Amino acid sequence: MKGSRLKVRFCTNESQKSRAELVGQLRRLGFDISEGEVTAPAPAACQILKERGLRPYLLIHDGVRSEFDQIDTSNPNCVVIADAGESFSYQNMNNAFQVLMELENPVLISLGKGRYYKETSGLMLDVGPYMKALEYACGIKAEVVGKPSPEFFKSALQAIGVEAHQAQ
């Protein structure tokens, strides 16, 4: 595809690894790819946070935390949730709940809404059930950044300067 005239963008819903780690893995498998060619939920969320001046409480996997290094997390005024794996503890969920309940206009940003995924050890709960728990408890609706959000795909198209009707 890279040898063609087509503009290429790789979209992933990966929320347990940074783009750098994901690209490193793909390169070791023989793929010619750079971080700049990858659209992922964490950087998309960071863009939203910067644009809106939001400071998140991060309920995310440690593997993706580096994507948020340039984001101010002091005195949170929103919650960002992703597939946090073992970090989905009662305490961390309750902390996210408390942050949201203390806000006049609570903002919950989710890096996906999958129900589950499969690991070699079996099925694992994804971010969706945890996102839904916070939505229910707080009486709010999460903003989903990542697949299947249309905005996620629009950001990928915008990054390569292509209109939706031009995409193949």
Side-chain angles (χ1 to χ4, degrees):
M1 288 191 327
K2 284 188 173 187
S4 73
R5 298 182 350 212
L6 297 175
K7 294 181 180 180
V8 178
R9 192 73 181 185
F10 300 91
C11 296
T12 178
N13 235 24
E14 179 60 61
S15 62
Q16 287 192 350
K17 294 181 180 111
S18 67
R19 281 181 304 163
E21 186 179 347
L22 178 63
V23 165
Q25 259 187 325
L26 291 170
R27 283 182 179 162
R28 286 188 294 279
L29 293 171
F31 289 88
D32 177 20
I33 187 171
S34 69
E35 281 185 53
E37 295 174 299
V38 177
T39 296
C46 289
Q47 184 65 34
I48 291 169
L49 296 170
K50 289 175 186 174
E51 287 171 0
R52 296 190 201 168
L54 295 172
R55 299 173 313 277
Y57 172 80
L58 296 172
L59 184 47
I60 61 176
H61 194 278
D62 286 341
V64 77
R65 197 163 294 277
S66 64
E67 296 278 12
F68 294 88
D69 282 349
Q70 303 303 311
I71 300 296
D72 180 6
T73 57
S74 64
N75 192 26
N77 60 2
C78 72
V79 169
V80 171
I81 187 172
D83 179 9
E86 296 298 320
S87 294
F88 277 135
S89 66
Y90 174 81
Q91 185 62 52
N92 289 339
M93 283 292 290
N94 202 53
N95 289 344
F97 165 74
Q98 289 171 342
V99 166
L100 292 167
M101 291 301 286
E102 291 174 6
L103 298 170
E104 187 175 325
N105 295 307
V107 175
L108 174 59
I109 297 173
S110 181
L111 301 193
K113 67 177 190 178
R115 296 181 299 162
Y116 60 88
Y117 57 94
K118 187 172 184 173
E119 290 282 343
T120 53
S121 60
L123 296 178
M124 310 292 283
L125 283 174
D126 203 346
V127 66
Y130 298 98
M131 175 196 79
K132 289 292 186 185
L134 290 172
E135 284 181 331
Y136 176 71
C138 300
I140 61 174
K141 185 82 172 141
E143 298 175 41
V144 178
V145 178
K147 296 175 186 175
S149 165
E151 289 75 24
F152 179 72
F153 293 103
K154 287 176 189 173
S155 72
L157 292 172
Q158 185 179 21
I160 59 173
V162 173
E163 296 293 324
H165 70 276
Q166 298 170 309
Q168 297 182 7

